[in-house]
Amino acid sequence: MDLRHVRTFVTVAEQGTVTKAALCLRVAQPALSRQIGDLEAELGLRLFDRVRKRLVLTGEGEQLLADCRNILSAMDSLGERAQQFRLPGAGVLKIGATPQMIDGVFATFLHRYAARFPHVQIKLSEAAGPELSAKVKSGEVSLGISLLQAIDAEKHGFDTFPWPPIEFLAASHESLRPELTGNIEITSLARYPLLLLESSFFVRNTFDAACRLAGVKPQIFAESRTPHTLLSLAEAGHGVAIVPSVLPTHRYRLRIARITHRRRPLREPLTVLWDRQRVLPQYAKDFCQLLNAQMREVFPISQVPARVALRAAKRATVRRK
């Protein structure tokens, strides 16, 4: 069996059309169609049905897809292990994470890791939720970083490594003057126009659930798929941006407060995950440990700047007098 045919089959199944799969594999569409035909002829099975210009897996194709993914995963593992044997400490580490995580965490961490492991090549790709789970399962990424609630580790056969949780921040221009004393109760946000991530974000779902629990009906001024858009609007004084703590808010002139509910920080567990059927090399385990340590040392970004905390303390002193 030609391994190229197996990879083509998996890619077409994941992309849904020959056109998208051809772009992904950088192969001409006629050649890709022939490869699918050759594989079907070799197996003696029809793998796809065509439904409204999309290719839908047949029942047999659905059952063979998992086996083909395992074949590709095993081949990738073989290549990585061979590279380890050639040069101690060498390898390729493929990481999947949200754009916010890559921007706020990896931008500074990768230099630290490279200094410790100069022979490990890091490859980053953006993914979240079901897309991230699929990439980890297929072997497209070695490690995925995700909110714990966004995955079903047991269902997909993932092992996980817990990281410090993300927190929820309220970012605003000074003109709005929220009760910024390091923490702000979620009930206090009810009277401000809010700048929120779209409901497709898991952190938005958590915030909405917390609002319902606290009996808060948020005044939504704007929603966006881009967190930096919310921060720009907040900097311009259009409302209070609700963002996760991994976002680098220091690039903006904003007041930052940690959101609490009944004086407890609003948080979501964060985890790194990998397919337990794959051998996790030592440099990948070290990556998890090092990044976990950095996040505990340098983060949370939600830590209130000293000058803000000082101003808040002075205001509290004046009120007591």
Side-chain angles (χ1 to χ4, degrees):
M1 181 178 295
D2 193 326
L3 189 61
R4 291 178 304 167
H5 296 172
V6 175
R7 193 175 299 278
T8 295
F9 166 58
V10 171
T11 304
V12 172
E14 292 175 348
Q15 297 297 321
T17 67
V18 172
T19 301
K20 292 181 179 179
L23 290 173
C24 184
L25 294 173
R26 298 181 181 179
V27 176
Q29 292 185 41
L32 190 145
S33 297
R34 284 196 299 272
Q35 290 179 22
I36 291 295
D38 291 343
L39 181 60
E40 289 180 325
E42 183 176 357
L43 296 174
L45 297 170
R46 192 175 77 255
L47 300 174
F48 293 100
D49 287 324
R50 185 174 292 278
V51 179
R52 296 190 184 94
K53 297 183 179 181
R54 290 186 61 85
L55 293 178
V56 179
L57 285 168
T58 63
E60 295 83 356
E62 186 75 43
Q63 294 184 58
L64 289 175
L65 179 60
D67 293 331
C68 289
R69 281 175 170 160
N70 288 337
I71 291 172
L72 296 179
S73 178
M75 291 302 298
D76 289 342
S77 294
L78 178 62
E80 291 174 8
R81 292 295 298 274
Q83 189 172 23
Q84 291 179 52
F85 289 139
R86 290 195 300 270
L87 181 64
V92 177
L93 187 55
K94 296 167 287 186
I95 309 294
T98 64
Q100 298 78 42
M101 178 67 66
I102 292 174
D103 182 20
V105 178
F106 288 106
T108 55
F109 171 72
L110 292 181
H111 293 301
R112 177 180 178 182
Y113 181 79
R116 289 278 303 274
F117 300 92
H119 300 302
V120 176
Q121 180 184 1
I122 300 292
K123 294 184 177 181
L124 296 177
S125 62
E126 296 181 358
E131 181 187 8
L132 179 61
S133 296
K135 286 188 173 184
V136 173
K137 197 63 181 177
S138 67
E140 187 175 343
V141 299
S142 313
L143 299 174
I145 300 168
S146 172
L147 294 177
L148 188 59
Q149 67 151 326
I151 61 167
D152 188 335
E154 287 303 317
K155 175 182 176 181
H156 295 289
F158 295 147
D159 275 335
T160 59
F161 182 93
W163 275 355
I166 66 165
E167 298 182 344
F168 288 71
L169 309 181
S172 64
H173 189 269
E174 289 191 2
S175 62
L176 291 181
R177 305 191 65 78
E179 302 85 340
L180 187 58
T181 58
N183 297 329
I184 182 170
E185 275 289 314
I186 194 169
T187 52
S188 299
L189 295 172
R191 56 180 171 272
Y192 297 105
L194 298 184
L195 310 168
L196 302 178
L197 291 167
E198 287 186 353
S199 57
S200 58
F201 285 76
F202 283 98
V203 289
R204 169 64 186 278
N205 295 332
T206 298
F207 180 75
D208 287 345
C211 285
R212 290 192 295 270
L213 188 64
V216 173
K217 186 176 181 180
Q219 302 179 42
I220 302 175
F221 177 77
E223 296 176 287
S224 175
R225 289 188 56 81
T226 309
H228 289 292
T229 298
L230 304 180
L231 294 178
S232 295
L233 288 171
E235 187 178 41
H238 293 294
V240 178
I242 308 302
V243 294
S245 58
V246 293
L247 205 65
T249 56
H250 64 276
R251 300 172 184 170
Y252 301 83
R253 296 175 62 85
L254 292 166
R255 288 172 175 260
I256 303 296
R258 179 188 290 108
I259 300 174
T260 59
H261 175 51
R262 295 179 179 177
R263 298 184 179 181
R264 304 185 69 172
L266 188 59
R267 292 172 170 166
E268 269 292 349
L270 191 66
T271 190
V272 58
L273 60 139
W274 63 92
D275 190 340
R276 63 168 59 109
Q277 293 184 351
R278 294 173 60 87
V279 177
L280 199 64
Q282 185 59 46
Y283 59 78
K285 297 176 183 178
D286 291 334
F287 180 93
C288 296
Q289 296 284 358
L290 280 174
L291 187 51
N292 179 49
Q294 166 137 332
M295 291 180 70
R296 293 184 185 279
E297 292 169 7
V298 179
F299 289 84
I301 296 174
S302 57
Q303 201 167 42
V304 180
R307 63 181 184 279
V308 175
L310 181 60
R311 287 201 300 267
K314 288 181 178 178
R315 288 198 298 270
T317 301
V318 170
R319 284 197 296 270
R320 286 195 295 270
K321 290 180 179 179

